[in-house]
Amino acid sequence: MKSIIITGGAGFIGSHVVRLFVNKYPEYRIINLDKLTYAGNLANLKDIENKPNYTFVKADICDFDTILSLMKQYEVDGIIHLAAESHVDRSIKDPFTFAKTNVIGTLSLLQAARLYWESLPEQYEGKRFYHISTDEVYGALEMTHPEGIEPPFKTTASSTDHHLAYGTDFFYETNKYNPHSPYSASKASSDHFVRAFHDTYSMPTIVTNCSNNYGPYQFPEKLIPLFINNIRHHKPLPVYGKGENVRDWLYVEDHARAIDTIFHNGKIAETYNIGGFNEWKNIDLIKVLIRTVDRALGNEEGASEKLITYVTDRAGHDLRYAIDSTKLQKELGWEPSLQFEEGIAMTVEWYLSNQEWMDNITSGEYENYYNEMYKNR
Ligand code: NAD
Ligand code: TYD
């Protein structure tokens, strides 16, 4: 039996990874290790919480002693590490928390895994430390083609009527790291520590860098769930700057499937980029989102565009992200499963039919955070 710790399993992406592994691998023991910060929510896992192969442990990844004793207690063979502080705007306000969780937390997991695995007769045989990172570590790409050009790739993730690239350059696995925000700087640092543990101690590590995710259970401080909820409540939609920044979007379940593929078949010490060649300017995406929500709510399509409010830009706002995931697609056969409009329609439908989930989050502490975040914009 494989015993796997998934850190951050109560968060957005982590909950999809936990659900996939618990359902797909009944013979594995899946330990969801999560501190339950503001972003962690056990309601994300209601449907699998009573499965016999699932265990939840409330713990902080920075707590080295606890992690080491959990490694021993559960005889852990693998770690899939997603726990992190993940929101760029928060990192601008409070960079220390990001350094602590993302850098020291990752280091404490690495060191605990090393001490435990090195104490076993088989040492690193059959073991795996898989670190989930972001494309933001590569920095920002130029927007050489603001009107969009035909991209060099065709995949199922791109919609039929929108399949554009906004520049000729992409993020490749070989790119130099060039992070700009405290969030991406902390993730970059953690990626370096993971690779250093392979190079120094021969720990079997893998790192993946994924583009922006969207889908159910995302905390509503991120663009898509925030805007769906604001449209529902007729609240302003705060678009940073001119809304011209480009992000590359992947449906969260496609990311979870990629993680499964890479955890089982990826090569040790390799890096894989994960993305669906699906670039959107924020303002174009927001308009698709508005039309989809209006349709679902029975409003006139586009009526909620009047809620769009241009606000002061994010400090150091990266202009364009675009992932090249050719390596993953060619070497491991993964590909995204959805066209973007399908994914957005499913996402909108999920948030509108799970309003209780949203309302439980958007009361109390969140309300204070939201008001504070937007009061000066
Ligand atoms: P999230 O903010 O939704 O969830 C983070 C989870 O980590 C929460 O459950 C939280 O309670 C937990 N956590 C935070 N600090 C912890 C600590 N000290 N100890 C234990 N648990 C702790 O994040 P997400 O969007 O699901 O992102 C998950 C991972 O994927 C992160 O590492 C992020 O950098 C990476 N990533 C995210 C995206 C994206 O679009 N969301 C894209 C690429 C990569
Ligand atoms: P976000 O969901 O925070 O992801 P990231 O910063 O990791 O890419 O933001 C996605 C894009 O949307 C980013 O360019 C910032 C922009 N944005 C807004 O315009 N308004 C908002 O209220 C938020 C949260 C984001």
Side-chain angles (χ1 to χ4, degrees), residues 169-231:
D169 203 9
F170 295 85
F171 292 143
Y172 303 99
E173 285 86 353
T174 48
N175 275 26
K176 211 171 77 159
Y177 274 28
N178 186 20
H180 299 301
S181 72
Y183 164 64
S184 53
S186 69
K187 290 296 289 187
S189 170
S190 66
D191 296 8
H192 289 318
F193 269 109
V194 174
R195 294 194 178 101
F197 267 61
H198 170 267
D199 297 349
T200 309
Y201 309 108
S202 305
M203 183 182 281
T205 59
I206 295 186
V207 176
T208 57
N209 300 84
C210 188
S211 60
N212 285 62
N213 285 215
Y214 70 98
Y217 301 113
Q218 187 167 29
F219 193 84
E221 63 190 352
K222 305 276 169 67
L223 180 75
I224 290 179
L226 174 71
F227 277 34
I228 295 173
N229 196 41
N230 282 10
I231 295 169

Side-chain angles (χ1 to χ4, degrees), residues 86-89 134-136 181 183 211-213 218-227 230 236-249 280-283 285-286 309 311-314 317-319 321 369-370 373-374 377:
S86 68
H87 190 42
V88 174
D89 293 329
T134 166
D135 60 354
E136 305 192 22
S181 72
Y183 164 64
S211 60
N212 285 62
N213 285 215
Q218 187 167 29
F219 193 84
E221 63 190 352
K222 305 276 169 67
L223 180 75
I224 290 179
L226 174 71
F227 277 34
N230 282 10
L237 305 175
V239 178
Y240 298 170
K242 294 185 180 146
E244 294 284 315
N245 301 63
V246 170
R247 294 293 181 265
D248 184 355
W249 295 91
W280 285 79
K281 279 188 190 170
N282 288 342
I283 194 65
L285 178 149
I286 288 161
T309 310
V311 298
T312 313
D313 208 353
R314 173 186 278 172
H317 197 173
D318 284 337
L319 186 59
Y321 300 148
Y369 158 77
Y370 188 83
M373 185 63 82
Y374 290 101
R377 283 192 182 271

Side-chain angles (χ1 to χ4, degrees), residues 24-298:
K24 187 168 171 189
Y25 302 108
E27 71 279 20
Y28 292 3
R29 184 209 295 271
I30 301 300
I31 302 127
N32 171 11
L33 189 159
D34 198 297
K35 185 183 173 183
L36 299 182
T37 65
Y38 78 95
N41 184 357
L42 289 177
N44 298 359
L45 290 164
K46 272 253 159 297
D47 52 326
I48 56 110
E49 67 186 5
N50 295 321
K51 295 263 179 165
N53 61 337
Y54 171 72
T55 306
F56 172 69
V57 178
K58 185 172 184 320
D60 186 335
I61 54 168
C62 300
D63 180 354
F64 169 79
D65 293 335
T66 300
I67 304 293
L68 183 57
S69 70
L70 289 169
M71 297 285 302
K72 291 180 187 158
Q73 181 187 345
Y74 290 107
E75 300 179 353
V76 171
D77 309 300
I79 296 181
I80 304 178
H81 175 35
L82 296 107
E85 288 293 335
S86 68
H87 190 42
V88 174
D89 293 329
R90 285 185 190 249
S91 82
I92 294 168
K93 290 209 161 214
D94 176 17
F96 277 113
T97 303
F98 282 69
K100 186 160 178 246
T101 297
N102 298 358
V103 186
I104 303 298
T106 301
L107 179 56
S108 106
L109 275 179
L110 284 162
Q111 182 72 346
R114 176 169 95 86
L115 293 190
Y116 172 59
W117 287 337
E118 287 186 354
S119 74
L120 301 174
E122 75 273 22
Q123 301 237 316
Y124 289 121
E125 188 65 41
K127 306 294 185 282
R128 218 153 254 211
F129 190 108
Y130 177 3
H131 177 62
I132 309 299
S133 192
T134 166
D135 60 354
E136 305 192 22
V137 297
Y138 296 122
L141 293 165
E142 300 278 312
M143 188 132 81
T144 50
H145 293 75
E147 298 311 314
I149 48 166
E150 182 73 14
F153 319 95
K154 278 257 177 265
T155 77
T156 47
S158 50
S159 78
T160 41
D161 57 351
H162 172 101
H163 188 213
L164 298 172
Y166 292 97
T168 47
D169 203 9
F170 295 85
F171 292 143
Y172 303 99
E173 285 86 353
T174 48
N175 275 26
K176 211 171 77 159
Y177 274 28
N178 186 20
H180 299 301
S181 72
Y183 164 64
S184 53
S186 69
K187 290 296 289 187
S189 170
S190 66
D191 296 8
H192 289 318
F193 269 109
V194 174
R195 294 194 178 101
F197 267 61
H198 170 267
D199 297 349
T200 309
Y201 309 108
S202 305
M203 183 182 281
T205 59
I206 295 186
V207 176
T208 57
N209 300 84
C210 188
S211 60
N212 285 62
N213 285 215
Y214 70 98
Y217 301 113
Q218 187 167 29
F219 193 84
E221 63 190 352
K222 305 276 169 67
L223 180 75
I224 290 179
L226 174 71
F227 277 34
I228 295 173
N229 196 41
N230 282 10
I231 295 169
R232 185 181 136 224
H233 291 292
H234 312 287
K235 280 192 182 166
L237 305 175
V239 178
Y240 298 170
K242 294 185 180 146
E244 294 284 315
N245 301 63
V246 170
R247 294 293 181 265
D248 184 355
W249 295 91
L250 183 69
Y251 192 65
V252 62
E253 287 182 7
D254 282 335
H255 187 188
R257 275 195 309 105
I259 290 172
D260 176 20
T261 301
I262 294 163
F263 181 72
H264 289 97
N265 304 322
K267 280 205 215 118
I268 298 302
E270 288 288 327
T271 299
Y272 297 91
N273 280 350
I274 308 174
F277 299 111
N278 184 39
E279 291 179 53
W280 285 79
K281 279 188 190 170
N282 288 342
I283 194 65
D284 294 339
L285 178 149
I286 288 161
K287 286 180 179 165
V288 171
L289 194 59
I290 288 172
R291 280 203 299 279
T292 313
V293 178
D294 278 342
R295 210 178 308 130
L297 291 176

